[in-house]
Structures are given as structure tokens and as C-alpha cells.
Amino acid sequence: MMKLLTALVLIEALLLIWVFAVEPRLLRVSRYQLEAPDMKGLKMVFASDFHLTPGSKERLRKIVAAINAEKPDIVLLGGDFAKGHLRSVSMPAEEIAAGLAEIKAPAGVFAVLGNHDEWYGKKEMAAALAARGIMVLQNDGRQIDYQGISFYLGGVEDVSTGRPDVGRALSGAVGAAVLLSHSPDVFPEVPAQTVLTLAGHTHGGLALLLDQGVALFNGGFVRGWYARDDARLYVGPGSGLWGGFPLRLGVPSEILLLVLRAPR
């Protein structure tokens, strides 16, 4: 019996080490192909939910290096760059922007802001990113034309701290369109002809046993792929770690690489 108890204690200790110290440091690259004839050949990277602290400089460098290693054409960032409520616990906006400015993407780097960025200071974060060449979309969009590929990119404000307007964000779309949102809650409002919606915020549920609870507070969305008619949504688990519940189990941090292709 003593040996069994010792073994159980050891297993519990190892699990706690994994959940709080090992898996939170991991960063995987998830690679998918998506059928989008008007955008075929485009390599798109999505990263979100960084939650950067003053001590996160190496983490930020790791994320940027992983993005650049995929040689993307365009990079989309889903917000929550700041850690949150108190500025003293967050990496300054200027440092965040300087680190992200090292991303190399010939068609551009675009971002939306999350609830933590609002709490930090939305105007300051947006200005810092813009000063480094990262375009922040707030219920607006831009036509992207790159090497014969043409599509409209829209971005909305955060659901909990802003007023997301999907119609306004995609008002300039004529052909193919992509929507960038911090939260997946807006997906039911996205027009069916929109090729793709990218969102974060949920951290993928953080752990396999928590994901359904997290989904209840996020419109039923927690991580991975969702579909409604021809519209597609991908909810990423985030590239950083939320300080309010700093663990991961079976849901490692990630960046997403999407390669758009023609129908087979």
C-alpha cells in the first residue's frame, strides 16, 4: 500500500509539473490547407493571445522566430498582446510592438485588439503597433493585393470591451473575404460567403477537461474548426499563457499556418 501511495504522489507531482511548468512553455505550429480558389497559393499565419509581461521577451522572440520560420505571405494577429488590468504586470506597448515588428511578411502584418489591450490602453496599443507598421483593424478593413491574389481583410473590435460591427468591417468586400476577430462570438453574424474567420480569446479551454465549460462562455466555440454553410471559423488556443489561470493540459500554445489552395 505504501508503494502505491508513493507512486500516486509521484504521478501527481509529475502531472503538476507538466501542467504548470512544461506544457505552458511549449509552442507548436499547426498547419492546414483550406480551399479558397481566389486566394490559392497564399501562406497565412495567425497568432493570438500573447499576454506579454516584462519578463516575456524571450517568449516573444520565440513566437516571432516560429512565425518567420514558416515564411508567410501575410500575418494576422488576434489581440491580447498585453497581460491585462495593471500596466505594471504587462510588457510596455512600445516593447511589444518593437518585438512584433521583427515579423517578416511581404503582404503585411495586421492585427485586432483584445479585451486585455483595452484594459491596458487601446489607443496606446494601437498607436504603438501602427508606428511599427502593423495595421490595426477596428471595425474596418483593407483590400489585399499580392502577387495576383486579391481578397478583402476585415477586423472587428472585441466583443466584451468594444462594439464589433461585422457588416462595417466587411463593407468593402466584393470577392473573397477574411475576418479577423479577437473573440469567436461574432461568427454567427459573419456572411456565409466569407472564406474564413480567425479568432482566439478562449485559449482553447486551457485543459482538455475544462474546454466545454469555456465553450459555454464563448458562444459554444472553444478551439479548432467550425463551419456554418460555406463559412469557416478557426479558433486558436493562443500563443501565450493567461496569467489568470496559468496552466495547459493537452492544449499547447500554437501559431497557425494556413495554405490556401484550389479545389481538388
Side-chain angles (χ1 to χ4, degrees):
M1 179 62 72
M2 184 58 68
K3 288 183 178 179
L4 177 59
L5 289 175
T6 301
L8 290 175
V9 169
L10 179 60
I11 291 171
E12 182 178 354
L14 291 173
L15 180 60
L16 289 173
I17 290 171
W18 177 266
V19 168
F20 287 98
V22 178
E23 189 166 327
R25 296 176 180 271
L26 301 179
L27 180 66
R28 72 180 178 189
V29 179
S30 295
R31 300 177 178 89
Y32 295 97
Q33 294 186 6
L34 182 67
E35 186 177 302
D38 295 337
M39 301 167 64
K40 63 181 180 181
L42 186 74
K43 292 178 68 177
M44 176 185 296
V45 160
F46 171 67
S48 185
D49 299 280
F50 300 81
H51 295 284
L52 296 165
T53 70
S56 298
K57 292 180 181 179
E58 183 56 37
R59 179 70 177 185
L60 179 55
R61 283 193 290 267
K62 182 178 181 178
I63 293 170
V64 170
I67 291 172
N68 287 339
E70 298 302 317
K71 295 181 169 53
D73 298 312
I74 188 170
V75 172
L76 307 180
L77 305 175
D80 270 4
F81 304 103
K83 182 171 175 63
H85 299 272
L86 299 175
R87 290 195 174 208
S88 60
V89 300
S90 180
M91 182 182 291
E94 293 78 9
E95 290 186 27
I96 293 172
L100 294 172
E102 297 300 316
I103 294 173
K104 297 175 174 58
V109 181
F110 299 84
V112 292
L113 301 179
N115 49 302
H116 284 259
D117 304 316
E118 173 72 34
W119 297 328
Y120 175 91
K122 180 172 70 173
K123 290 183 178 180
E124 184 177 342
M125 184 64 70
L129 293 170
R132 292 285 185 166
I134 299 170
M135 182 171 291
V136 179
L137 302 174
Q138 301 182 75
N139 291 334
D140 59 354
R142 295 291 183 274
Q143 183 69 30
I144 308 297
D145 296 295
Y146 174 73
Q147 293 188 350
I149 299 169
S150 183
F151 69 98
Y152 194 83
L153 174 64
V156 292
E157 294 181 353
D158 173 59
V159 169
S160 62
T161 58
R163 295 182 178 180
D165 189 332
V166 173
R168 180 180 169 189
L170 295 175
S171 61
V174 177
V178 172
L179 182 70
L180 183 59
S181 172
H182 177 63
S183 170
D185 296 58
V186 301
F187 185 56
E189 305 172 33
V190 176
Q193 66 269 26
T194 304
V195 172
L196 175 67
T197 300
L198 292 168
H201 183 61
T202 67
H203 292 266
L206 295 170
L208 294 177
L209 300 178
L210 300 176
D211 50 3
Q212 293 310 307
V214 173
L216 290 175
F217 296 96
N218 292 278
F221 308 111
V222 62
R223 67 174 176 274
W225 289 100
Y226 299 86
R228 194 193 77 251
D229 300 320
D230 292 331
R232 297 290 182 270
L233 164 69
Y234 185 84
V235 183
S239 304
L241 187 66
W242 178 42
F245 209 49
L247 65 82
R248 284 190 182 272
L249 179 60
V251 189
S253 302
E254 74 162 33
I255 66 168
L256 169 71
L257 171 68
L258 274 178
V259 178
L260 290 303
R261 62 172 177 81
R264 290 174 177 170

